[in-house]
Amino acid sequence: MSDQFSTDILILGTGGAGLMAALHAFWRDPVLDLTLVSKGGLAKSGCTRMVQGGYNVVLDPKDSLQAHFKDTVTGGAFLNDQDLAMTLVEDAPRIVRELENRIGCLFDRAPDGRIHQKAFAGQSFDRTVHVGDLTGIEIMSRLRDHIFAAGIRCLEYTRGLELLTSADSQRVVGAVLLDIQSGEFVVVRAKAVILCTGAGPLMYQRSACAQEKAMDGVAMAYRAGAHLMDMEMVQFHPTGMVVPGSRLNGALLEEGLRGAGAHLFNGRGERYMERYDLEKKERFTRDRVSRASYMEVIAGCGTENSNV
Ligand SMILES: Cc1cc2nc3c(=O)[nH]c(=O)nc-3n(C[C@H](O)[C@H](O)[C@H](O)COP(=O)(O)OP(=O)(O)OC[C@H]3O[C@@H](n4cnc5c(N)ncnc54)[C@H](O)[C@@H]3O)c2cc1C
């Protein structure tokens, strides 16, 4: 059995990217027929809800866009697409103000009433905006309120299977979905399709990522003819829980811990980051701390569980 309908804009994925895309389309033209599709529940699936640490943004007059940009490209070992890095840095202040003033996210305050910004690894200035360590829950909850208020259609527990293309394969014209609960297919025709399904970590033994993210959105785009880039750029977060045999194994220990001064020790009790970077130590970027920890384990300096 299959159901079918048409919509103006079909948005696959309901994390921060999907919900922001839907709201911006609605604000631009409230008459548009919009459809959100999520493999999980609205505002309950994906990684955005899991964000603990926060969002790097230049707000303090003593900070600068140039410094944020420099931290970003230096942290990326100059492999970054620098135009994209600049877009990220330049857009961040506007987006934080939009999240607070238009969407209603209440970020933590400093004693003087300004938005509080905490230290994050790899940053030369304290510029991480946050809500305690529940930043993602605040952002997703407020975005969800606006999606409800706007009355945007949302198909939850529905998986995107395949993008539909025009007869000449030049345009995406919709998608085939699977209603996970009923097992029925849904065919949606759309004037535009926005993919916000993220990537996926399921090839790794442990991951802190939302487990419904399985690269199938990327695969759909590939089969429809999209060119993929930088596929080797997987982010490794250096610190997580090691609790063998527990569901907590691999759960993230957030970046702010190292920002606030936490130390890392190997199985011999040595503060090993001093050997990798005497100045930044644990505040080195995620890739460097991950690599250093891995080197300790393969050098035989790990704990009895082969960790640090
Ligand atoms: C534990 C953790 C902590 C993090 N902390 C930070 C932080 O402090 N600061 C920071 O900047 N970043 C952080 N990140 C990274 C950040 O969460 C992501 O970069 C960001 O949330 C990605 O947003 P998104 O909307 O692209 O994807 P997501 O929020 O992951 O949303 C993906 C959506 O796609 C849906 N989906 C997937 N496949 C399909 C399909 N086939 N069909 C239909 N729907 C599908 C999912 O159900 C979900 O709704 C963290 C990530 C994790 C895992």
Side-chain angles (χ1 to χ4, degrees):
M1 289 287 290
S2 69
D3 196 5
Q4 43 183 298
F5 67 93
S6 298
T7 189
D8 289 323
I9 305 181
L10 174 66
I11 301 164
L12 299 178
T14 61
L19 298 192
M20 283 292 259
L23 280 180
H24 273 267
F26 175 76
W27 289 332
R28 178 64 69 93
D29 184 356
V31 175
L32 282 174
D33 185 276
L34 305 171
T35 303
L36 279 159
V37 173
S38 178
K39 219 190 240 185
L42 177 65
K44 290 191 180 138
S45 61
C47 293
T48 311
R49 192 177 174 80
M50 301 166 88
V51 168
Q52 300 172 328
Y55 187 46
N56 288 334
V57 53
V58 174
L59 296 177
D60 192 311
K62 294 197 280 301
D63 195 7
S64 71
L65 297 178
Q66 289 75 10
H68 189 187
F69 176 74
K70 186 175 168 211
D71 288 343
T72 307
V73 293
T74 313
F78 294 92
L79 296 171
N80 323 46
D81 178 324
Q82 297 197 5
D83 290 336
L84 284 181
M86 200 59 192
T87 301
L88 176 85
V89 165
E90 284 180 339
D91 280 0
R94 176 177 60 78
I95 300 291
V96 159
R97 288 194 189 96
E98 179 176 288
L99 283 170
E100 207 173 61
N101 300 334
R102 190 159 195 189
I103 293 169
C105 301
L106 278 179
F107 295 114
D108 282 3
R109 299 331 259 201
D112 65 5
R114 289 185 298 169
I115 292 181
H116 181 257
Q117 294 186 275
K118 66 180 177 182
F120 238 38
Q123 303 295 312
S124 58
F125 197 90
D126 294 355
R127 60 168 75 97
T128 306
V129 170
H130 64 110
V131 183
D133 60 359
L134 301 172
T135 311
I137 291 182
E138 173 72 3
I139 292 175
M140 290 306 287
S141 302
R142 298 293 79 77
L143 284 171
R144 178 206 52 204
D145 295 346
H146 282 269
I147 297 290
F148 282 152
I152 296 171
R153 179 189 303 114
C154 184
L155 307 181
E156 296 178 283
Y157 304 102
T158 302
R159 179 178 166 192
L161 292 180
E162 201 70 35
L163 295 173
L164 297 171
T165 50
S166 55
D168 61 2
S169 303
Q170 293 304 301
R171 279 193 329 113
V172 172
V173 294
V176 180
L177 317 174
L178 174 69
D179 180 327
I180 297 170
Q181 289 169 318
S182 69
E184 295 200 350
F185 294 106
V186 184
V187 177
V188 187
R189 278 179 300 274
K191 292 178 188 157
V193 178
I194 305 179
L195 258 188
C196 301
T197 50
L202 296 184
M203 63 292 236
Y204 294 101
Q205 188 184 12
R206 286 179 215 131
S207 161
C209 215
Q211 296 297 297
E212 81 271 13
K213 288 176 67 175
M215 293 292 281
D216 50 346
V218 177
M220 256 189 282
Y222 181 69
R223 289 195 297 271
H227 291 213
L228 308 180
M229 61 187 277
D230 298 338
M231 295 298 288
E232 74 283 19
M233 293 295 172
V234 176
Q235 183 180 102
F236 291 89
H237 191 284
T239 50
M241 303 264 277
V242 182
V243 195
S246 163
R247 285 175 62 100
L248 283 178
N249 211 15
L252 202 100
L253 289 172
E254 75 124 317
E255 180 99 24
L257 286 172
R258 285 181 295 119
H263 295 176
L264 293 171
F265 298 96
N266 65 18
R268 298 175 181 171
E270 297 161 348
R271 194 177 166 199
Y272 59 91
M273 283 310 299
E274 290 177 335
R275 278 191 270 112
Y276 294 86
D277 186 280
L278 200 50
E279 191 198 337
K280 299 194 190 82
K281 299 176 196 143
E282 286 83 359
R283 287 200 187 176
F284 222 179
T285 49
R286 292 179 179 180
D287 61 316
R288 298 300 191 93
V289 178
S290 302
R291 225 179 306 161
S293 306
Y294 184 62
M295 295 308 285
E296 291 296 304
V297 173
I298 40 179
C301 302
T303 64
E304 57 188 23
N305 294 318
S306 292
N307 285 283
V308 292

